[in-house]
Amino acid sequence: MKSFTLMLFFLCLLSCKNDDDSNIDCALFDPFVRNLHIKIVDNSGNNLIENETYIAEDIKVRMNGNEYTNVVFKNVETIKNLITLTLFGKNGKNDYEIELSNSVIDTLVLDLTLDSTICGINFFTLNTATYNGNILSIEDYNGNYLITVIK
């Protein structure tokens, strides 16, 4: 009987689950935050950043009064000539301005769902992407998101 009670005690102890994130050491936490990659092409499928219709260094993204530069990576082969944004914002619709040149400023609206917050980092799911009023298909791109804009 003693061994049965002892075994029952250990079984109960092992079946306890702790859902508290306070056990995470945030100094060691290496998050995988999903990104959105935007491919800008013409009707023939030519990448307009690659052919320098739009100059990578000139492209800017604005959101909530903040401006982000260097959003195109020319030296990272898997995302070369794509605009790359880390998913951030708030739960629901988020408005971005994509400045492709001094004379071309587009509007991007992302509908995001906040999945969780760990160590102060928000993790989102992208539900829909609207570019200049057009709803775009969202593709999986190596665990991230990809939309293709035809200009």
Side-chain angles (χ1 to χ4, degrees):
M1 184 68 171
K2 261 186 181 178
S3 56
F4 176 75
T5 307
L6 187 58
M7 196 165 70
L8 185 61
F9 170 76
F10 282 117
L11 183 63
C12 288
L13 183 64
L14 292 173
S15 66
C16 291
K17 184 178 178 190
N18 184 356
D19 290 331
D20 185 9
D21 286 339
S22 65
N23 289 334
I24 296 174
D25 183 350
C26 292
L28 300 175
F29 180 58
D30 186 16
F32 174 73
V33 179
R34 295 180 88 178
N35 293 312
L36 170 65
H37 303 293
I38 305 169
K39 185 176 187 180
I40 309 288
V41 299
D42 63 15
N43 286 327
S44 300
N46 299 308
N47 187 312
L48 298 178
I49 296 172
E50 184 177 1
N51 73 12
E52 296 186 347
T53 299
Y54 301 113
I55 306 303
E57 293 79 18
D58 294 343
I59 297 173
K60 300 174 185 136
V61 176
R62 290 187 201 88
M63 184 205 185
N64 292 336
N66 297 309
E67 184 173 284
Y68 303 93
T69 58
N70 300 315
V71 294
V72 177
F73 296 90
K74 301 283 279 178
N75 298 322
V76 181
E77 196 59 40
T78 57
I79 58 174
K80 192 174 184 178
N81 299 310
L82 302 176
I83 298 170
T84 299
L85 304 174
T86 300
L87 289 184
F88 65 95
K90 63 183 183 346
N91 200 45
K93 298 212 183 283
N94 294 270
D95 297 326
Y96 301 78
E97 283 185 350
I98 310 288
E99 183 177 311
L100 297 173
S101 69
N102 288 334
S103 60
V104 179
I105 300 175
D106 295 340
T107 302
L108 172 66
V109 179
L110 302 179
D111 181 41
L112 303 174
T113 298
L114 178 62
D115 294 326
S116 62
T117 301
I118 301 172
C119 295
I121 299 170
N122 294 328
F123 295 87
F124 291 99
T125 297
L126 176 58
N127 302 313
T128 61
T130 305
Y131 199 95
N132 289 342
N134 298 311
I135 298 173
L136 300 178
S137 296
I138 302 169
E139 300 173 48
D140 178 34
Y141 191 73
N142 300 323
N144 291 296
Y145 299 106
L146 172 71
I147 59 173
T148 301
V149 175
I150 300 173
K151 297 215 40 104

